[in-house]
Amino acid sequence: MNTKKDWCDDRVDVKKLRLDLQNPRVPKHVKEHNDIVQIRNYLLDREGVLKIARSIANNGYHKSAVAIVCEENGELIVLDGNRRLAACQFLLDTNLVPNARDKKEFENLNKILDKKQLESVRITVAPSRKEAEKEIWDIHVNQLLKPWEVLQKLRMYRNLIDSGDYDINSASSEYGIK
């Protein structure tokens, strides 16, 4: 009889997910306050959350994006995917945005956001935080996904145009290529 809890995939409303108070992206002096608001604001200020929010609002929540979570004290804590979660939280509730400049942009993004897509996002539930650590390490430290080199990016761009689905201008607009 296997009593060890297994990993499992699920879909949940993004509103049911919680940021991780132990997020390695966040420095100790921010984490030691145990304040989700400070952590969310740090992610916005220093970790590119606004760029992610723009992408979600303009292009939709990535279909391949999977947050790694674990259940702690009855809550689903996001161990990997905190920046994406913070972006969603700001998009859904612009009152969370700490400054007027960013708030205005989030309000504009909120107007174009398809909120329905955030009612069912993909997650992988780890049996425990400890069991998730190796997986997260591989993602962020070992970088199992190798970024494309310039020539490889250009080949992909050329493939888009050669497919006939795009011309230079539409590919540039769709993919944010200058």
Side-chain angles (χ1 to χ4, degrees):
M1 176 179 205
N2 184 3
T3 58
K4 182 179 175 185
K5 190 175 172 188
D6 289 326
W7 289 71
C8 67
D9 295 335
D10 202 354
R11 297 186 78 84
V12 298
D13 189 321
V14 78
K15 292 176 185 172
K16 293 183 178 180
L17 300 174
R18 301 292 173 254
L19 291 170
D20 184 11
L21 287 168
Q22 300 174 41
N23 186 336
R25 288 189 188 275
V26 180
K28 183 180 177 188
H29 73 274
V30 175
K31 287 193 283 196
E32 66 191 10
H33 296 285
N34 267 356
D35 182 357
I36 289 295
V37 172
Q38 286 188 30
I39 289 174
R40 186 186 303 115
N41 292 347
Y42 177 86
L43 293 172
L44 176 61
D45 291 342
R46 303 287 176 97
E47 293 294 334
V49 165
L50 182 55
K51 182 178 179 182
I52 294 168
R54 287 179 187 131
S55 175
I56 292 169
N58 289 313
N59 306 314
Y61 192 91
H62 272 258
K63 282 123 188 100
S64 65
V66 180
I68 298 175
V69 307
C70 73
E71 190 173 337
E72 293 178 348
N73 301 318
E75 294 188 314
L76 293 173
I77 307 299
V78 174
L79 305 178
D80 186 62
N82 280 272
R83 295 181 317 132
R84 198 167 47 248
L85 175 57
C88 291
Q89 290 174 340
F90 286 128
L91 284 166
L92 292 171
D93 185 355
T94 58
N95 291 320
L96 297 174
V97 182
N99 63 63
R101 178 184 45 87
D102 289 340
K103 184 172 185 172
K104 183 67 178 160
E105 183 161 2
F106 273 102
E107 287 170 346
N108 291 333
L109 293 172
N110 176 281
K111 291 174 188 171
I112 63 171
L113 173 69
D114 176 9
K115 296 167 189 71
K116 185 108 177 113
Q117 67 183 310
L118 301 182
E119 293 174 2
S120 180
V121 298
R122 294 174 57 206
I123 64 170
T124 294
V125 183
S128 68
R129 183 178 288 269
K130 182 172 177 44
E131 289 196 44
E133 288 170 352
K134 177 68 169 106
E135 189 89 9
I136 294 167
W137 183 269
D138 275 349
I139 292 167
H140 293 284
V141 179
N142 291 339
Q143 296 182 336
L144 296 180
L145 292 178
K146 181 182 176 196
W148 286 350
E149 296 172 13
V150 173
L151 185 57
Q152 294 164 331
K153 291 176 191 177
L154 291 172
R155 285 183 193 131
M156 178 61 179
Y157 186 58
R158 182 80 230 172
N159 289 345
L160 294 172
I161 295 166
D162 287 348
S163 73
D165 293 332
Y166 297 92
D167 62 22
I168 290 174
N169 293 327
S170 62
S172 175
S173 175
E174 179 80 17
Y175 286 88
I177 304 166
K178 296 183 178 175

